[in-house]
Amino acid sequence: MLDPAAREPGDELTARAVAVRDGACDGAELWAEARARLCRIALALGVPPDDVPDIVQDVLLAAHRTLPRFDPERGRFEGWLAAILVGRARNHRRGVRRRLRLLAAFGRRSSGPAPRDPAHEATEARLTLARLTAALTDVQREVVALYEIGDLTADEVARSCGMTAAGVRSIARDARRRLAALAAEEDGR
Amino acid sequence: MNERAGIDRLARAVDEVAATLPVRARPPRRTAPRRGIRYALAASLALALALAGFLAWRARPDRTTVPSDVRVVYLRINGRDASPRVWEPRRAGAVLVAPRTASGIVGQSRSTTTLATIAVPTEGVPR
């Protein structure tokens, strides 16, 4: 496990964001790099892969709109983006649950996402991702996505999720054990 | 048990799936419409629809086509029989009867004949 204190501060992206904010350079590179990182975090948050590009684009639009208000003194650019993404992912999750409740109220089973190419759907990576993220609670998923996959510091994750840094570490430890047990169980089959 | 085995497996799956995601060709250069603009657009659309509906209502056909084989017609105005005036089309073919014509036939003002309908009698129409 990486020691949070030893993590790179990641000031490069923040510095670039400040430059874009001040109009010193074009933001194409910044958004491209941010998009790649956000996609990974969104997947780890349990967002369905087909919805990830839309949610990430939504986050980038929100970040682009509010970039003039970004203050590097209050945290890194990555943490700022991650906080927006966590909010969007929560909304998405709530929307999905609401839709399922509505369908259940009308006595219909959820049709789920639209039918897609079976070969595409059945990729092992997607199944593994869905299985592992489903094994975690909502809070664990957020902490794992930001702390383990997104490589944010415990303080940044704590700010994004509204908890303490110690709580983040504790939840991350539980989630690691849970995932390790699941992996061992799958390997044992 | 390796505590990071599950995390590593998750990270690998994330990387593999992320590599298959479509890449947006366009960076977010434009901001999404703000809420106020969205409301203004919705209000404009509703207004345009209402205006189109009103214009369509104004432009509704007020003339009735009488089949060519009908020789004698008389009118009902606002659901009641008009005065027993008879009108015979002067030429063969479909004849259009407009409210203005109808008012000329029954001798009433145009305003009262806007709801005129053509009744096609079978026989026994008074001449």
Side-chain angles (χ1 to χ4, degrees), chain A:
Chain A
M1 170 190 163
L2 286 173
D3 179 13
R7 283 182 173 156
E8 290 292 324
D11 288 338
E12 190 184 336
L13 202 63
T14 305
R16 200 176 299 166
V18 171
V20 172
R21 182 196 66 184
D22 298 339
C25 67
D26 181 32
E29 281 184 24
L30 171 73
W31 301 122
E33 190 172 340
R35 176 179 289 114
R37 296 188 187 202
L38 287 176
C39 281
R40 295 182 78 244
I41 296 177
L43 287 168
L45 280 171
V47 176
D50 293 312
D51 295 336
V52 166
D54 289 336
I55 286 186
V56 168
Q57 184 75 0
D58 192 31
V59 172
L60 291 177
L61 276 174
H64 182 263
R65 198 165 50 227
T66 53
L67 188 60
R69 293 206 297 270
F70 169 63
D71 180 9
E73 299 295 324
R74 297 174 60 186
R76 291 190 306 164
F77 185 63
E78 284 177 283
W80 186 65
L81 282 180
I84 302 175
L85 176 60
V86 166
R88 292 293 196 281
R90 284 177 185 165
N91 288 345
H92 180 270
R93 209 159 48 223
R94 271 197 294 270
V96 168
R97 284 176 185 159
R98 204 178 303 127
R99 200 159 54 242
L100 290 176
R101 273 202 303 272
L102 187 68
L103 288 171
F106 282 99
R108 292 180 56 185
R109 286 186 180 179
S110 165
S111 57
R116 300 182 193 95
D117 181 9
H120 183 62
E121 190 67 24
T123 53
E124 188 63 29
R126 286 193 177 209
L127 293 175
T128 303
L129 182 63
R131 205 164 48 239
L132 292 178
T133 53
L136 301 175
T137 65
D138 289 347
V139 176
Q140 284 177 334
R141 209 176 295 130
E142 288 178 4
V143 168
V144 165
L146 300 180
Y147 189 66
E148 301 288 354
I149 305 296
D151 283 341
L152 298 183
T153 64
D155 287 334
E156 287 171 330
V157 178
R159 268 200 301 276
S160 297
C161 299
M163 59 181 76
T164 63
V168 168
R169 292 189 196 94
S170 169
I171 291 170
R173 188 170 53 246
D174 291 344
R176 276 197 303 273
R177 287 175 183 163
R178 174 82 189 97
L179 290 177
L182 191 66
E185 186 181 320
E186 288 179 357
D187 291 340
R189 282 179 194 166

Side-chain angles (χ1 to χ4, degrees), chain B residues 49-63 99 110 114-115:
Chain B
L49 283 175
L51 185 63
F54 175 71
L55 291 177
W57 177 76
R58 281 290 303 274
R60 71 193 188 283
D62 60 351
R63 300 202 297 182
R110 188 184 176 190
T114 52
L115 296 177

